[in-house]
Amino acid sequence: MFSLAWSTIKARRGGFVAAFVALFFGATVITASGVLLESGLRSGVAPERYAAAAVVVGGKQAFTGTQDLATAFAERVPLPADAADRIGRVPGVELAVPERSVAVDVLSAKGSAPVYAHGWSSARLAPFALTDGRQPQGPGEVVVDTGLGLSTGDTARIALGGVPTDYRVVGLASAPALHRQSAVFVTDEAAAALSDRVTAVGVVAAPGVDADGLAKRITTAVDGVETYTGTAIGDVEFLDVGQARGFLTLLSGSLIGTIAMVVLFVVASTLGLSIQQRRRELAVLRAIAATPKQVHRMIGAELLLVSVAGGLLGSLPGFAVAGLLRDAFAGAGVLPSDLALVYSPLPALGALLLCVLGGWGAGYFAARRLARANPVDALGEAAVEPKALGGARRTFGVVFLVAGVLAGTVVPALLPGPAALGGAAGSVLLLMVGTAMLGPVLMRMATAVAAPVLNRGRISGYLAAANSRANARRLSGAVVPLALALAMAAVQVFTITTAEAAAADQVETGVTADLVVSGGATGLAPEVVDAVRHVPGVRSALPVVRSQVLLEYRMIDEPEVETFAAQGVEPEHLGSTLDLAVTSGSLDGLRGDTVALSTSAAGTAGVSVGESVHVFLGDGVDKTLKVVAVYANGLGFGDVTAPRDLLAAHTTTGFDDAVLVSADQGADVAGALADRYPGVAVVDRSAFAAAQHEQRWQQSSTNLIGNGFLLLYLVIAVVNTLVMATGARRREFAMLRLIGTGRGHVRRMMALEAGVVVGAAAVIGTAVAVVPLVGISLATTGRPLPAVDPLVYGVIVLVTAVIGFGSIVLATRAALRGRPVDTVGAGA
């Protein structure tokens, strides 16, 4: 059977090359996604400041739900003040060093790496060694690392929360590896004054003690902590690494699911078209007594050979593509540039398995009709396509279309939050599956609409119309991938524009302040806020602290959590600086254990004003908060608004991120702050809005990169399918030429057919895209009309047309090469 299969492959290279290309690139994208998923689970960054510690103990930085899925907390989870003493009593611990890590700005330093202040006792965890001078001994003394460009005896201006303090440099220190950060060291007492939060505890193990065993004993002896050893220490040292791994796991997990479905869809479409082109051959086999089982075995053997070859060879470039994706995400700022990928055979094996099973399954169902048909009927179907669809296929097609419409419109209208977005996003594939099943019917409708126009083209137009009517199944196999590419491109682009337009409008109308004061990564201390309020001409100053919280809700009676952006404010200063567009309740009661929610967050949690909601604050502390207001401007300012003091107490720095200032014209806020707080920036309302837009664009670019990767595969698949479908008609073209039709007539005929294909794809793709876009707009903005830029839509349709016309026209030129009599004689 494999010998026969190999002979068939060699004899019909065109169709099998197309199937191989679809499987090859399918394996590439699946392998790349698998590498990202495995890296999210196993990758990390080598420790720097804790490199000499056998074990590092930190707080539990993630919430683990009912399905064992970890959701990272946005802020550093501190350890209890007595954690080091308790850890020091565990057998095998030689020394437990409490570590305080405080973000600061060294105003006169060189370099752009973030700077952290620490107590001198923690220097041995790197280890840092003095290269000049001595260790700090008094409150105004500091040791700096050599990368900051300072010298012993210099005065270092170090700002905490925007407030600068002068320190005398008494020593220089260096560590074996320090790339992601810079360090300054003060006395342990001074470090405790900078922050009362214990970041971590570094453990020096007694001689001969195994680090992993010691970590287990510490976890058993001390409740509520996490232990880290080896390269995993980088997760507790650099919070962005652990958060990036969580992001990569979630992103690649969802991406690999979508990619797998799309790849199977494309492979099934390509193989189905390839097998349909072999109707004559399969019908003859049935006529000479081949059984359905033998036909299936032959096709299965062919596809096994092609699938294994495509899966094996396609998985190899997948590893390189994963690296390109990692670089793209790092360039967008959502992954650390030094996060290494983990390479293993598992993603390639998964891609191979999926390609083999998907290819075999697609081939089985595509050949099922011809293999089971009566031999006489099979020969009839080989000559002319059957007009009627099977009853089951027609029924399932309608069911999928109805399910897609319901998921894309009714679900977002009735359900809030993640369920609404999930329904809208999932409707794309439901609609495309339904479209593929009903494709021949849709193509006959498209041909009927186009026929009056085609018939004006005399010979070429008449032939194009006749071919389109007679070969609706073949044309639908070319139209569906093209329509899917257009629909997915439109959904991805206009989902972003819809959310961005709504958020920009909310920021523009919601920020009523005249100026915004920002302190950068280290925040703004209360002293700066007080100074702003005392500037002549300032009427009101609203400090805003930003974080993220986990909001608990129930999904089918199971507790789940969703991450929402949060802000902390003082309600007495809201009136003249910030308008959240409250729809119910009042922000005047935003004090103590209370919260205000956006309409989206309130819908997700299923609560209204006066009810309580359970949240996990930025550092993991759980709170039950009373809802005092619901507001509309969640996209622009965050879905959770809490009292400023409540939220700030559970952030890493405890400081504000910005101050919204309402001031009289001519008030010189920037000049009043420049000398006292040189690291503080003052911008106007438009500059603040632009900065917010840039942050949102960074988040949106993540979706563009992931889905752009998928769209690239779709474009390759579309070109592959169109070239295969056109190239398989070489014998038809040769017959037309032998009966007197010229090359020009055939080319014009195919150009007109390409117009039918592109036009049908544009209409179907647009119709498919409208449904999820309406649902996504309902879920994110509460309005059914998405923000669609006609120019961008026109570009998407134009690119679709170029791909369709280009593939068909160029493949037609290639198919017309050679003498017609030779082509007919070869049986091509």
Side-chain angles (χ1 to χ4, degrees):
M1 188 59 70
F2 280 104
S3 175
L4 176 61
W6 180 243
S7 299
T8 305
I9 291 172
K10 289 191 292 183
R12 290 186 168 273
R13 287 189 294 270
F16 287 107
V17 165
F20 172 82
V21 169
L23 290 161
F24 177 92
F25 286 104
T28 298
V29 296
I30 293 172
T31 300
S33 302
V35 171
L36 294 181
L37 178 60
E38 188 176 10
S39 299
L41 296 172
R42 297 174 49 202
S43 183
V45 171
E48 295 180 1
R49 287 206 54 263
Y50 301 150
V55 181
V56 174
V57 183
K60 291 189 175 182
Q61 280 295 149
F63 170 82
T64 303
T66 55
Q67 299 179 357
D68 293 330
L69 296 176
T71 305
F73 296 124
E75 310 291 344
R76 172 80 65 179
V77 177
L79 290 173
D82 64 343
D85 293 336
R86 293 160 60 193
I87 294 168
R89 292 193 291 269
V90 175
V93 174
E94 180 177 296
L95 183 64
V97 182
E99 151 74 347
R100 288 179 170 85
S101 185
V102 184
V104 296
D105 286 320
V106 181
L107 300 179
S108 56
K110 297 179 180 178
S112 58
V115 183
Y116 296 92
H118 314 273
W120 176 251
S121 64
S122 67
R124 66 178 298 171
L125 298 176
F128 275 89
L130 283 170
T131 60
D132 188 39
R134 58 174 176 81
Q135 70 183 52
Q137 297 175 350
E141 297 180 344
V142 66
V143 170
V144 302
D145 79 57
T146 53
L148 290 173
L150 298 173
S151 302
T152 302
D154 287 348
T155 297
R157 298 205 79 190
I158 300 176
L160 176 65
V163 180
T165 303
D166 289 340
Y167 287 82
R168 186 164 64 91
V169 178
V170 297
L172 304 178
S174 65
L178 204 66
H179 308 293
R180 304 181 96 243
Q181 60 188 313
S182 293
V184 298
F185 293 94
V186 295
T187 63
D188 291 348
E189 294 77 15
L194 294 176
S195 174
D196 60 354
R197 300 163 69 93
V198 178
T199 301
V201 174
V203 176
V204 178
V209 174
D210 175 66
D212 291 330
L214 180 58
K216 291 179 181 178
R217 290 197 294 274
I218 292 173
T219 304
T220 302
V222 184
D223 294 334
V225 300
E226 291 282 351
T227 54
Y228 304 82
T229 60
T231 56
I233 292 175
D235 286 358
V236 69
E237 182 174 353
F238 307 112
L239 280 190
D240 63 320
V241 173
Q243 292 168 349
R245 287 178 54 198
F247 157 80
L248 199 57
T249 301
L250 290 175
L251 174 73
S252 55
S254 61
L255 188 63
I256 200 170
T258 303
I259 283 176
M261 288 189 288
V262 171
V263 167
L264 290 177
F265 187 87
V266 169
V267 168
S269 177
T270 304
L271 290 176
L273 186 58
S274 175
I275 290 173
Q276 285 297 317
Q277 291 171 351
R278 297 172 60 191
R279 294 193 309 272
R280 248 177 94 195
E281 172 193 337
L282 298 178
V284 170
L285 288 174
R286 291 286 288 119
I288 61 174
T291 66
K293 185 176 181 180
Q294 288 173 326
V295 171
H296 276 304
R297 286 181 60 195
M298 180 190 73
I299 292 175
E302 295 166 358
L303 294 181
L304 181 62
L305 292 174
V306 175
S307 300
V308 169
L312 282 176
L313 296 177
S315 62
L316 297 178
F319 293 101
V321 171
L324 295 176
L325 283 174
R326 190 275 315 274
D327 293 342
F329 285 128
V334 295
L335 282 184
S337 59
D338 55 352
L339 182 68
L341 295 181
V342 174
Y343 296 103
S344 80
L346 291 178
L349 291 175
L352 176 62
L353 181 63
L354 192 63
C355 286
V356 170
L357 293 179
W360 182 86
Y364 176 85
F365 286 105
R368 190 166 177 262
R369 180 186 180 95
L370 285 172
R372 291 190 173 187
N374 180 282
V376 176
D377 295 337
L379 285 171
E381 288 190 14
V384 181
E385 281 189 358
K387 290 187 177 180
L389 290 179
R393 177 173 176 174
R394 192 166 52 246
T395 300
F396 277 111
V398 172
V399 168
F400 273 104
L401 286 181
V402 172
V405 172
L406 292 176
T409 56
V410 177
V411 171
L414 298 179
L415 298 179
L421 289 173
S427 67
V428 177
L429 287 178
L430 290 173
L431 291 169
M432 287 311 305
V433 171
T435 300
M437 289 184 168
L438 299 176
V441 175
L442 298 175
M443 281 311 302
R444 290 190 185 100
M445 295 170 59
T447 302
V449 172
V453 178
L454 295 176
N455 288 329
R456 296 175 186 172
R458 297 184 180 180
I459 296 175
S460 299
Y462 173 81
L463 290 173
N467 269 321
S468 299
R469 279 193 297 266
N471 297 286
R473 289 176 183 261
R474 181 186 66 200
L475 284 182
S476 70
V479 166
V480 169
L482 195 61
L484 177 60
L486 185 149
M488 294 198 71
V491 169
Q492 294 306 318
V493 171
F494 297 130
T495 294
I496 292 173
T497 59
T498 299
E500 172 57 32
D505 181 65
Q506 290 179 12
V507 171
E508 183 177 352
T509 59
V511 177
T512 57
D514 302 295
L515 302 170
V516 179
V517 180
S518 172
T522 62
L524 296 170
E527 178 184 326
V528 180
V529 179
D530 290 338
V532 171
R533 288 173 174 164
H534 285 88
V535 173
V538 170
R539 298 191 302 273
S540 180
L542 173 71
V544 180
V545 59
R546 297 191 180 93
S547 184
Q548 290 181 349
V549 302
L550 305 185
L551 182 66
E552 188 175 84
Y553 65 99
R554 302 196 74 81
M555 176 69 74
I556 316 178
D557 291 332
E558 290 291 334
E560 301 287 347
V561 296
E562 182 75 14
T563 302
F564 286 104
Q567 63 177 355
V569 299
E570 296 174 348
E572 59 269 24
H573 297 287
L574 277 172
S576 60
T577 55
L578 189 63
D579 179 12
L580 296 179
V582 174
T583 59
S584 62
S586 172
L587 293 173
D588 293 338
L590 196 64
R591 293 177 175 83
D593 288 344
T594 61
V595 70
L597 301 177
S598 70
T599 52
S600 175
T604 299
V607 296
S608 57
V609 173
E611 296 181 320
S612 296
V613 63
H614 189 218
V615 303
F616 294 87
L617 298 174
D619 62 354
V621 172
D622 60 308
K623 285 275 189 179
T624 299
L625 305 177
K626 180 182 177 181
V627 179
V628 297
V630 175
Y631 56 92
N633 287 353
L635 283 175
F637 301 102
D639 291 290
V640 177
T641 299
R644 184 261 169 212
D645 292 340
L646 173 65
L647 199 65
H650 299 281
T651 61
T652 303
T653 65
F655 294 147
D656 299 300
D657 291 276
V659 180
L660 304 185
V661 181
S662 177
D664 297 330
Q665 188 174 3
D668 188 9
V669 177
L673 300 179
D675 293 334
R676 294 172 59 189
Y677 311 108
V680 170
V682 180
V683 298
D684 59 19
R685 188 189 310 174
S686 60
F688 174 74
Q692 296 290 94
H693 168 74
E694 186 176 346
Q695 291 178 1
R696 291 192 301 270
W697 174 248
Q698 184 185 63
Q699 297 172 352
S700 301
S701 63
T702 302
N703 292 328
L704 284 178
I705 293 169
N707 289 288
F709 170 56
L710 178 58
L711 284 171
L712 179 60
Y713 169 72
L714 273 176
V715 168
I716 294 172
V718 165
V719 172
N720 178 51
T721 301
L722 293 176
V723 170
M724 176 189 72
T726 306
R729 299 172 65 182
R730 293 182 65 224
R731 189 171 186 274
E732 173 193 334
F733 296 159
M735 291 290 291
L736 287 172
R737 291 175 62 195
L738 287 176
I739 62 174
T741 306
R743 286 175 181 264
H745 289 123
V746 175
R747 289 174 181 168
R748 284 192 292 273
M749 176 191 77
M750 291 306 297
L752 291 172
E753 282 192 35
V756 174
V757 169
V758 169
V763 173
I764 293 172
T766 300
V768 168
V770 165
V771 174
L773 284 174
V774 168
I776 290 169
S777 183
L778 281 171
T780 55
T781 70
R783 299 189 297 267
L785 295 179
V788 176
D789 187 332
L791 180 61
V792 175
Y793 171 74
V795 170
I796 293 174
V797 173
L798 178 62
V799 171
T800 303
V802 169
I803 292 172
F805 274 105
S807 301
I808 292 174
V809 170
L810 292 177
T812 300
R813 288 181 175 273
L816 288 173
R817 293 172 184 168
R819 297 194 308 164
V821 67
D822 294 335
T823 302
V824 173

